[in-house]
Amino acid sequence: MTTPVTSRSEEAQRPRTMKRELGLPALVLYGLTSMGVLSVVSVYGPASAISDGHLPASYIAAIIIMLFTAHSYGRMAAHVPITGGAYAYVTRGFGSVTGFLTGWVMMLDYLFLPMVNFLLFGLYFNSMFGGVPAWLGTLICIVVVAVLSVVGVSWIRRLNSVVITASILLVLGFLVLAIMNAPEVSIEAVVTPLSIGDAGIVPILSAAALLSFVFLGFDGVATLSEETKNPRRTVPRGIVLATLVAGLGYLAFAIAGSLIMPDWTKIENLDAAGTELMQQAGGDWFMAAFVIINLAGLITCGAAAQMSVSRVLFAMGRDKILPSVFAKLHPRFRTPYVSALVVSAVSLVALFITLDQAVYMINFGALVAFALVNLATVKVLYLDLKLRRGWGALRHLVMPLLGFASIVWLWTSLAPFTYVLGGAWLAVGVAVYVLRRKQRGGPLALNIDGAATETMPTIPYQEDARA
């Protein structure tokens, strides 16, 4: 056993601002909700094309890779049970500079995630109303979400719960109908898309890089450490279980899709493949139900994502990490709602990019964060806290390094333009850090997800059979 530096009584005396009310089922449900039930549909077409019809095989690769990283998140959550996720863990492992730049790169997720929702809304709106061009549907969604972000509607969470429930029922219905109405249900029909095709493993892994998008959100479970009962046991399990359950669900959907439409080249609109899959499985009424549920979900998710990024930008201006663009405005305009309008203006970029380009940019930031969390696990747990006894070397060194290597491989499979835009964004972050640190005379903290990284503790942990 590793002797703890901080006793449990001392730990119990730490000030808490949140009640520990959440159990394992609640964490798993939260993780599944964060990943999004219908996110599996959003990349079905592009990923099918990249994998050359072997989408289920790509999901198997993605599940394995993501489980390594989920394990690292879980181990860090057990030893650094505070909010902040990747940003908090990297800051704790490698210092405020690396933490700041990690948070800065993660801002790409915040900025592009609303755009994905807007683009998907336009595509599916066009699939329902053929006379309305996709770009106009995208613009309509941007305007609606901008209004909701400024008004600040409290019913979004309640509506989101209804949409999630309807989405789960829809996916379950699709799985059943796809099997019932598939042109052929046989072992060969199931195994073929699960195998590696004539093109080899490269297309499989390239598609897996794109599929990383549907797993984004499992790390959100780590931000609930301060609200969870027995977080050192529950949070790690919640992270891994949420990733595994979601991955198996995505895999089942991909297999069902390959059964109902064995030839992916017959999909007319790859970016809105969900419409054709649902129509093929259950007819026009099922397709209409899917589009309605999906459009409602895209609005609520887009509004939630945009409000999140607007508040992060507002906090950055308030804390003088960025020069406040509102400094010369009337005081009543110095609010997160002005930031929401700024984000809405930035989101107009969605009118000029494609869905896969937006997804790749999100994956750029996410994969960088995932890779650094794996390294931070080695640094904090294996090197600093020296948790090496028993399974320690496997859990805190071998598995995180395998996770890091696999994430790097996925990262190298991104589209070339991703590195250009991502590199430019990172260069801006470096410039901001250098200039603002000189002006402030000290390190900067982005304060993402409520993580007070400048005073962040590492809570030493006693390894035992329950960990």
Side-chain angles (χ1 to χ4, degrees):
M1 293 186 179
T2 301
T3 303
V5 178
T6 302
S7 67
R8 296 187 185 276
S9 60
E10 290 174 335
E11 179 186 339
Q13 295 174 0
R14 292 181 183 274
R16 290 178 183 167
T17 58
M18 303 178 185
K19 291 184 178 180
R20 298 199 183 278
E21 301 176 331
L22 303 179
L24 182 60
L27 292 189
V28 174
L29 181 60
Y30 178 83
L32 296 176
T33 303
S34 299
M35 284 181 270
V37 178
L38 290 181
S39 61
V40 63
V41 183
S42 62
V43 293
Y44 184 94
S48 293
I50 295 173
S51 66
D52 193 24
H54 293 267
L55 182 60
S58 294
Y59 266 114
I60 291 177
I63 291 170
I64 295 172
I65 291 172
M66 288 300 157
L67 282 176
F68 280 119
T69 298
H71 172 269
S72 291
Y73 270 91
R75 299 314 298 162
M76 288 297 287
H79 298 276
V80 190
I82 56 177
T83 61
Y87 174 58
Y89 301 150
V90 174
T91 300
R92 186 60 190 86
F94 300 108
S96 60
V97 177
T98 306
F100 176 89
L101 294 178
T102 300
W104 183 267
V105 173
M106 288 172 62
M107 282 291 294
L108 285 174
D109 301 2
Y110 285 83
L111 290 172
F112 278 89
L113 187 56
M115 295 185 199
V116 170
N117 289 280
F118 302 151
L119 286 166
L120 286 170
F121 185 95
L123 291 167
Y124 283 107
F125 198 80
N126 171 258
S127 70
M128 178 65 81
F129 306 100
V132 180
W135 68 265
L136 182 56
T138 298
L139 182 60
I140 290 173
C141 192
I142 292 174
V143 173
V144 170
V145 169
V147 173
L148 294 178
S149 298
V150 172
V151 172
V153 289
S154 59
W155 50 264
I156 284 183
R157 288 186 177 181
R158 294 193 293 270
L159 178 60
N160 199 37
S161 299
V162 174
V163 170
I164 289 170
T165 302
S167 299
I168 293 174
L169 295 176
L170 186 81
V171 169
L172 293 176
F174 171 75
L175 296 179
V176 174
L177 291 171
I179 295 174
M180 292 175 56
N181 300 322
E184 178 187 359
V185 178
S186 64
I187 295 178
E188 182 181 0
V190 173
V191 171
T192 298
L194 284 167
S195 62
I196 298 175
D198 297 335
I201 193 67
V202 174
I204 303 296
L205 294 178
S206 296
L210 185 64
L211 295 179
S212 301
F213 171 77
V214 302
F215 288 91
L216 301 184
F218 77 84
D219 52 315
V221 176
T223 67
L224 300 178
S225 293
E226 295 181 17
E227 302 169 72
T228 302
K229 302 173 185 176
N230 195 5
R232 291 176 172 175
R233 293 184 61 197
T234 309
V235 172
R237 294 177 180 180
I239 293 172
V240 173
L241 278 177
T243 305
L244 181 59
V245 171
L248 293 177
Y250 298 151
L251 176 61
F253 187 94
I255 293 174
S258 66
L259 289 176
I260 197 66
M261 294 193 73
D263 187 359
W264 69 269
T265 60
K266 292 184 178 179
I267 300 176
E268 295 181 5
N269 187 346
L270 289 175
D271 287 335
T275 302
E276 298 176 47
L277 288 174
M278 300 300 169
Q279 198 280 335
Q280 191 75 12
D284 292 340
W285 69 270
F286 196 68
M287 177 197 70
F290 162 73
V291 173
I292 292 171
I293 294 171
N294 198 31
L295 291 179
L298 291 171
I299 289 177
T300 57
C301 289
Q306 183 152 299
M307 283 191 283
S308 294
V309 66
S310 65
R311 279 142 182 80
V312 171
L313 291 177
F314 170 75
M316 291 171 69
R318 177 199 60 198
D319 298 338
K320 298 181 180 180
I321 293 172
L322 290 177
S324 178
V325 296
F326 318 123
K328 296 182 181 180
L329 297 177
H330 191 277
R332 71 172 180 269
F333 293 121
R334 298 177 191 173
T335 68
Y337 306 118
V338 178
S339 297
L341 292 176
V342 172
V343 175
S344 296
V346 173
S347 294
L348 292 173
V349 172
L351 299 174
F352 307 100
I353 61 176
T354 62
L355 176 62
D356 56 340
Q357 288 174 337
V359 171
Y360 273 131
M361 289 311 303
I362 292 174
N363 285 355
F364 177 90
L367 292 178
V368 168
F370 290 170
L372 289 174
V373 167
N374 281 300
L375 291 182
T377 302
V378 176
K379 172 65 167 56
V380 175
L381 305 186
Y382 188 79
L383 298 179
D384 293 347
L385 296 182
K386 295 180 172 57
L387 300 178
R388 304 170 183 176
R389 294 184 180 182
W391 294 98
L394 176 64
R395 303 170 83 179
H396 305 139
L397 178 66
V398 176
M399 292 182 69
L401 289 180
L402 287 175
F404 172 77
S406 58
I407 291 295
V408 169
W409 176 264
L410 291 185
W411 195 76
T412 60
S413 300
L414 297 175
F417 78 90
T418 311
Y419 307 119
V420 177
L421 293 180
W425 178 259
L426 183 59
V428 172
V430 172
V432 167
Y433 186 89
V434 172
L435 293 176
R436 300 305 292 173
R437 178 167 184 171
K438 286 183 177 179
Q439 294 178 10
R440 293 183 59 178
L444 305 180
L446 288 179
N447 194 24
I448 292 179
D449 293 329
T453 54
E454 294 308 306
T455 58
M456 184 181 304
T458 294
I459 302 178
Y461 179 54
Q462 181 172 345
E463 284 285 325
D464 56 34
R466 299 175 302 171

